[in-house]
């Protein structure tokens, strides 16, 4: 293995940077992860993962001798053959991706005489690679290589997604750089797709857009199911059995959230608009998702009438199970709308701390959240919710109204347990 061992510097210890860094160490490479936040680096040096991600802690522990953490650019670059950029690219006010953290990394690179390769893992607009190359050349670093190697990790399964990906995309300006980056992944069994830099950048944006389009599509089908009497869970099953379509990302619910989909959809919409193209389908995907989060309010009103003074329990806050991430979580919009309607909102989540939620009371258990509540909404399909003894908790509610925003429970069993149960896209009682 030693002949294929490379030295990798990773800039950014967020989800992508940290998971990638730890996984490259697991693949046998020497990795230095650099971040600007001292508390993050200190935690990592103590062997603690600063984020909740299954499997990450174990890999961190197992690969300690191949992993270093630093605040210093110089120390990170010193021996590096590859400089991975995995910094955040949040949306600006206009919806464009904010690349300032990317430019900071490029501008901070010291003068290096040897040939290294800068590799982009952050999600960036199409054309960024070309701009980075120009900026490097303007700094006299024209000999530095550049490769786009986008990530397709999903939170909660990030380690598995890295080690067993569907594909590895390598977009490069030169075959030599493409070979070098592809070789880093030698021990991973997956097809390697080589292409130009712009196409690699677009593959990342288009993949996320396609996944979001499927979600908004099935959510619209669900909404039509509600008015026509069909059951979207069965419909999705039937649609998904078509081999040309497949079963993934056809779970109807209260909409997508997270650190990627909402920001990436805006960024792609803006990217198209900036080039004079009106991306109609993507606009619809975004709008359907916004409306989907709000439809729960109407469902609650149908059961409870005006929500003023009513107590509503939100079960799950994170944007999906398996993570503590609250970024763009549908729970934030839902809580905001409920509070605006004058409801009292309480919330339970096994992991997420609910940052970003104001005026919401936290409950330590599902039972505590439900006691005396007028209604409950399943916002995140945490497995713990499937294990709740619902028949035992129903009598503790003032009115046993349960809106299952993720269709995770069996409607017949829930009605049997005493609930006025309603899912998304399924026949109401
Ligand atoms: C997503 C993609 O799945 C990854 O491939 C991509 O690398 C990542 O974004 C990124 O760009 O970094 P992630 O945001 O972690 O990953 O989570 P997903 O599992 O894709 O879920 C996103 C949202 O869609 C969640 O709110 C989830 O509840 C919702 N969702 C997902 C549905 O409503 N229905 C579905 O059928 C699937």
């Amino acid at each position: 293995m030693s002949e294929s061992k490379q030295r990798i510097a990773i800039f950014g210890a967020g989800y992508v940077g940290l998971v990638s860094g730890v996984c490259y160490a697991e693949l046998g490479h020497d990795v230095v992860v650099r971040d600007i936040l001292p508390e993050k680096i200190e935690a990592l040096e103590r062997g603690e993962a600063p984020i909740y991600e299954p499997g990450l802690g174990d890999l961190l522990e197992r690969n300690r001798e191949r992993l270093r953490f630093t605040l210093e650019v110089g120390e990170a670059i010193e021996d590096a053959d590859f400089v991975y950029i995995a910094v955040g690219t949040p949306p600006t006010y206009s919806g464009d991706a904010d690349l300032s953290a990317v430019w900071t990394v490029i501008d901070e690179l010291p003068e290096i005489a040897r040939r290294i390769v800068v590799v982009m893992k952050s999600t960036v607009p199409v054309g960024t690679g070309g701009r980075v190359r120009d900026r490097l050349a303007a700094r006299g670093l024209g000999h530095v290589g550049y490769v786009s190697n986008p990530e397709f990790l999903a939170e909660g399964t990030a380690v598995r997604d890295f080690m067993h990906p569907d594909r590895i995309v390598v977009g490069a300006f030169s075959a030599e750089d493409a070979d070098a980056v592809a070789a880093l992944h030698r021990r991973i069994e997956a097809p390697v797709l080589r292409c130009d830099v712009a196409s690699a950048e677009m593959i990342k944006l288009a993949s996320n857009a396609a996944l979001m389009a499927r979600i908004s599509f099935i959510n619209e089908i669900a909404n039509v199911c509600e008015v026509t009497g069909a059951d979207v869970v069965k419909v999705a099953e039937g649609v998904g059995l078509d081999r040309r379509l497949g079963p993934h990302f056809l779970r109807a619910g209260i909409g997508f959230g997270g650190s990627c989909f909402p920001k990436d959809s805006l960024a792609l919409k803006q990217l198209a608009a900036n080039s004079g193209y009106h991306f109609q389908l993507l606009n619809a995907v975004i709008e359907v998702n916004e409306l989907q989060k709000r439809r729960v309010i109407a469902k609650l009103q149908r059961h409870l009438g005006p929500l003023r003074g009513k107590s509503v329990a939100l079960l799950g806050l994170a944007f999906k199970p398996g993570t503590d991430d609250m970024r763009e979580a549908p729970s934030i919009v839902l809580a905001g709308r409920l509070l605006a309607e004058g409801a009292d909102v309480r919330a339970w989540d096994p992991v997420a701390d609910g940052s970003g939620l104001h005026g919401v009371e936290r409950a330590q258990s599902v039972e505590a959240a439900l006691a005396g509540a007028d209604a409950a909404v399943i916002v995140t399909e945490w497995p713990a919710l499937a294990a709740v003894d619902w028949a035992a908790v129903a009598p503790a509610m003032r009115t046993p109204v349960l809106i299952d925003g993720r269709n995770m429970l069996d409607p017949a069993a829930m009605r049997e347990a005493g609930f006025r149960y309603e899912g998304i896209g399924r026949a109401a009682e």
Side-chain angles (χ1 to χ4, degrees), residues 192-260:
V192 176
L193 182 103
R194 287 155 177 260
C195 57
D196 57 282
V197 171
S199 300
E201 292 164 344
M202 186 54 109
I203 287 170
K204 168 66 192 177
L205 295 174
S207 300
N208 274 1
L211 293 170
M212 284 180 266
R214 281 176 72 100
I215 299 172
S216 278
F217 169 77
I218 202 66
N219 281 338
E220 288 217 282
I221 293 287
N223 299 343
V224 179
C225 283
E226 283 180 8
V227 289
T228 52
D231 180 340
V232 76
V233 174
K234 276 289 155 203
V235 172
E237 199 182 324
V239 170
L241 282 169
D242 186 322
R243 265 179 302 204
R244 295 166 302 175
L245 297 169
H248 303 290
F249 280 71
L250 286 178
R251 279 180 287 115
I254 55 174
F256 58 75
S259 62
C260 302

Side-chain angles (χ1 to χ4, degrees), residues 1-2 4-10 16-33 55-69 84 121 159 162-163 184-185 187-188:
M1 245 344 276
S2 58
S4 57
K5 174 175 176 161
Q6 299 289 346
R7 288 161 305 188
I8 300 176
I10 304 220
V16 173
L18 203 50
V19 171
S20 304
V22 169
C23 289
Y24 281 124
E26 174 77 1
L27 291 174
H29 303 300
D30 271 331
V31 177
V32 188
V33 179
L56 188 64
D58 290 349
L59 284 198
L60 211 90
E61 184 57 43
R62 195 156 77 211
N63 293 291
R64 284 193 88 136
E65 65 193 47
R66 281 186 294 277
L67 271 168
R68 280 182 297 135
F69 303 97
Y84 266 82
K121 270 267 179 232
V159 170
F162 188 98
M163 300 305 285
L184 290 177
H185 304 86
R187 289 177 58 194
I188 295 180

